[in-house]
Amino acid sequence: MPTISFVSPKGGAGKTTSALLLATQLAARGADVTLVDGDPNHPVRTWGEGEQVPESLTIVSNPKPSKVGEKEAVIPGAILRLVNSETIRDVIEEYAAKSQFVIVDLEGTAELIVGNAIAESDFVIVPTQGSQLDAEQASRAFALIRAHERTVQKYRPDYRLPYAVVFTRTNVAIESRDTRFIRNTFETAGIPFLQTELHERAAFKAMFSYRMPLDKLDRKEVSSVDKAVENAEAFTREVLTRIIEALQQQQEQKQAKVAS
Ligand SMILES: Nc1ncnc2c1ncn2[C@@H]1O[C@H](COP(=O)(O)OP(=O)(O)OP(=O)(O)O)[C@@H](O)[C@H]1O
Ligand SMILES: [Mg+2]
């Protein structure tokens, strides 16, 4: 508890980057975290192959398609399990029972696996780049969230699945006109978004090229690592605050129901 899924049907929206940032930041604070690699291209597992996975972070990922003579990579902290549309709900449920946080990285589609992961989630994050095209694609993620809400609302009419957009790859120095416009549009439409943006940063990319957590990156090789760590910490703090607020709201709703 809780399970946080990263959803956007748009490829390259920043799902894996933001999921890995959240997972490694929480693990760095000592939390017991499971990161489910729900993308058949297993980007999280590939990152884990760098053997720099923090001790309190467990990666659950698909086994590689076996090739004759190929040795399975040994990844510290990684558990190889079939993660597909049929199994993802069981996998999430199992790890939610034993981890403090389950974080789910999904592929950039609107396939059944995404809907199934949403159904097991307590919070959904929709990473979006600040362009009109990306914002339109994000609305497909909102539609998946709504579809799940409608199903549950048939027997729990007040059910809501909390979610928030996070703007990714935004310019660190200036807000583009496009991003401002999309922020305003989301605000008007009542679509929740995080105040913290994940800016375009070389260090966020370098985590994948060096297969390391952000804070382990060599400051001589990669520029502005500390600024990137600050950015990732602010993102993690805000996600935690949103989740706590959502849980409190659910609690209040329950109490109001009992009282009425
Ligand atoms: N904030 C950022 N700063 C710099 N590079 C970024 C940032 N976010 C993402 N990227 C880069 O953009 C590319 C796509 O990001 P990422 O893999 O996180 O997206 P995704 O939504 O998981 O994509 P897919 O749908 O293919 O799984 C990667 O090369 C990643 O390194
Ligand atoms: Mg990805």
Side-chain angles (χ1 to χ4, degrees):
M1 262 299 266
T3 296
I4 307 150
S5 290
F6 285 76
V7 174
S8 169
K10 172 87 170 44
K15 295 177 287 294
T16 305
T17 305
S18 36
L20 186 63
L21 285 173
L22 182 65
T24 48
Q25 280 296 321
L26 289 171
R29 291 168 173 224
D32 194 0
V33 183
T34 299
L35 179 51
V36 179
D37 190 3
D39 181 339
N41 297 312
H42 52 76
V44 174
R45 220 188 81 209
T46 305
W47 175 82
E49 284 168 10
E51 304 198 1
Q52 299 283 336
V53 181
E55 212 173 295
S56 62
L57 174 63
T58 305
I59 293 171
V60 179
S61 182
N62 278 302
K64 274 187 181 167
S66 57
K67 286 187 202 146
V68 178
E70 187 188 35
K71 237 179 118 197
E72 188 58 72
V74 179
I75 313 157
I79 292 170
L80 301 180
R81 280 274 299 270
L82 196 62
V83 183
N84 60 25
S85 57
E86 283 108 66
T87 62
I88 194 152
R89 292 193 68 161
D90 288 338
V91 170
I92 294 175
E93 200 178 69
E94 183 182 326
Y95 285 91
K98 49 191 178 197
S99 303
Q100 283 171 294
F101 294 91
V102 177
I103 294 171
V104 188
D105 179 39
L106 292 154
E107 68 179 309
T109 61
E111 305 286 334
L112 188 58
I113 185 169
V114 179
N116 284 346
I118 288 174
E120 286 296 324
S121 297
D122 301 292
F123 198 88
V124 175
I125 296 179
V126 182
T128 308
Q129 291 180 37
S131 81
Q132 188 56 37
L133 190 69
D134 287 271
E136 279 163 23
Q137 292 292 318
S139 63
R140 293 173 61 208
F142 310 148
L144 292 174
I145 295 168
R146 300 259 182 275
H148 165 65
E149 285 181 333
R150 287 180 68 168
T151 309
V152 179
Q153 281 165 357
K154 287 201 188 336
Y155 55 93
R156 273 175 58 194
D158 56 359
Y159 173 81
R160 277 282 204 272
L161 176 58
Y163 71 98
V165 168
V166 60
F167 289 105
T168 60
R169 307 196 71 172
T170 51
N171 190 306
V172 70
I174 44 157
E175 187 184 44
S176 75
R177 203 181 293 184
D178 262 2
T179 308
R180 196 176 323 134
F181 175 75
I182 292 156
R183 264 174 175 276
N184 290 340
T185 312
F186 281 177
E187 207 149 29
T188 312
I191 291 163
F193 56 86
L194 302 185
Q195 291 307 317
T196 312
E197 299 173 8
L198 289 168
H199 296 298
E200 175 75 32
R201 288 178 188 278
F204 291 157
K205 253 195 191 13
M207 284 195 300
F208 291 95
S209 13
Y210 291 95
R211 299 185 181 178
M212 283 187 179
L214 197 57
D215 55 354
K216 290 261 177 76
L217 290 171
D218 185 344
R219 269 70 173 168
K220 286 188 221 104
E221 299 263 347
V222 185
S223 65
S224 304
V225 172
D226 294 324
K227 288 268 177 236
V229 171
E230 261 173 46
N231 194 173
E233 279 173 355
F235 166 64
T236 304
R237 271 197 305 274
E238 197 177 350
V239 170
L240 285 177
T241 307
R242 296 281 176 134
I243 291 173
I244 291 166
E245 278 169 6
L247 291 174
Q248 277 170 347
Q249 238 171 31
Q250 283 166 7
Q251 202 60 34
E252 278 162 20
Q253 269 176 2
K254 260 191 213 157
Q255 281 164 354
K257 223 172 175 181
V258 172
S260 67

